[in-house]
Amino acid sequence: MAVIAVINRKGGSGKSTLATHLAAYCATNGMAVMLGDVDRQQSTRTWLRQREKRQPPQRSPIVGWAVDPKNVLRPPAGITRVILDTPGGMRGFDLARVVMFADAVLMPVCNSVFDRESAAECFAELMTLPRVASGRCKVAAVGMRLDARTKAAEVLAAWANQHKLPFVGVLRESQAYVRCVEQGLTLFDLPSAQVQADMVQWKPILEWLAPMLQAAQPAAAAPVRPQSTPTMRPVSSRTNGLAPAGRSTVRDERPSQSDHAQPGVAEPRQRRDAAHRVGGLFAWLPIPRFLQRKPAPDAFAGSAL
């Protein structure tokens, strides 16, 4: 399951616009996608309600999800892509927990000194996280609401190059985005003749995301090893769904000797990495456990909690 997180500490940077368009792109191409709203303002939930009224033809449904520690839902079977819209001001433990689930982070950045400075600080913190530093979670910036008559795109590209932040594209300032979002639509729902210029701008962004999105096809079930199923202690309702910050449930990610001893049973390393970073991590924000990817059988210690 591919997880794409849209992150920027500064409010009004275009996170919800970018997240809804990515979800609609997945739906347009027949991908089973869930749009997760980590932002307490629930902007994408409003957009989804408008979309239900419009019922775009020939589109796969977008499953919505909002953070609610008292309402743990189960996703429909077959969800393979998740787009996360995150709140402004995310940092520290909250930022690290989201990144531990993400395969890619897109950072929308507007062209002002305030936006660039905020984005630079956020990127610097992201680079301190092991998952980003090791390259397992890719990070890139997208220029948002740029006026084509100015040199805003060049300024942002130079800024990104200075900070060694991949800069994968720009989206122009256009009322088409505003009108679409208000109706629960995106540019991907409109006739291609009407949005030809905008689709040219989306192409490099989607090409950068393609390896993550295309690699999210459901994998064949691996043989089950004959051992007891690991257990987890349910999170107490008194903690409001929050897990203690200093306690990790993830064991060593190195393959065990038993994995090497049984050809055909051991999963590829990248699949094992994805399984290991799932367990117990969505209990923090609180994020419902239905977003947890299926862990490997030895992913948790029976008494880790």
Side-chain angles (χ1 to χ4, degrees), residues 61-252:
I62 299 175
V63 179
W65 160 74
V67 174
D68 184 356
K70 299 180 181 179
N71 186 23
V72 180
L73 305 176
R74 294 184 180 275
I79 291 293
T80 57
R81 282 85 175 173
V82 174
I83 310 298
L84 290 178
D85 183 21
T86 63
M90 180 175 286
R91 64 182 70 238
F93 187 70
D94 292 346
L95 180 65
R97 287 296 194 180
V98 169
V99 170
M100 291 187 78
F101 276 89
D103 297 290
V105 170
L106 278 182
M107 185 181 298
V109 185
C110 297
N111 185 38
S112 76
V113 64
F114 306 109
D115 289 84
R116 294 194 301 269
E117 184 67 18
S118 176
E121 292 177 358
C122 184
F123 178 62
E125 184 175 354
L126 285 171
M127 288 302 297
T128 65
L129 302 177
R131 188 164 172 75
V132 175
S134 66
R136 288 176 293 170
C137 177
K138 309 294 183 181
V139 181
V142 177
M144 299 292 291
R145 306 192 187 107
L146 301 187
D147 191 337
R149 299 168 297 180
T150 68
K151 295 184 178 180
E154 289 83 353
V155 171
L156 274 179
W159 164 83
N161 184 62
Q162 177 185 354
H163 291 279
K164 299 182 180 180
L165 170 62
F167 189 68
V168 294
V170 300
L171 300 179
R172 64 172 180 157
E173 176 74 32
S174 174
Q175 284 298 307
Y177 287 100
V178 178
R179 291 193 297 267
C180 283
V181 170
E182 288 181 350
Q183 301 176 45
L185 300 175
T186 67
L187 269 60
F188 294 106
D189 299 307
L190 302 180
S192 58
Q194 297 182 18
V195 294
Q196 187 173 4
D198 293 292
M199 290 300 101
V200 173
Q201 293 187 322
W202 273 97
K203 184 177 179 180
I205 301 172
L206 298 174
E207 287 178 347
W208 184 80
L209 288 172
M212 280 74 76
L213 295 177
Q214 293 174 358
Q217 300 296 336
V224 179
R225 282 179 284 177
Q227 64 178 51
S228 60
T229 303
T231 59
M232 294 180 60
R233 179 176 61 82
V235 178
S236 172
S237 59
R238 291 177 296 178
T239 62
N240 199 27
L242 297 174
R247 305 171 88 175
S248 173
T249 61
V250 183
R251 299 176 71 185
D252 191 346

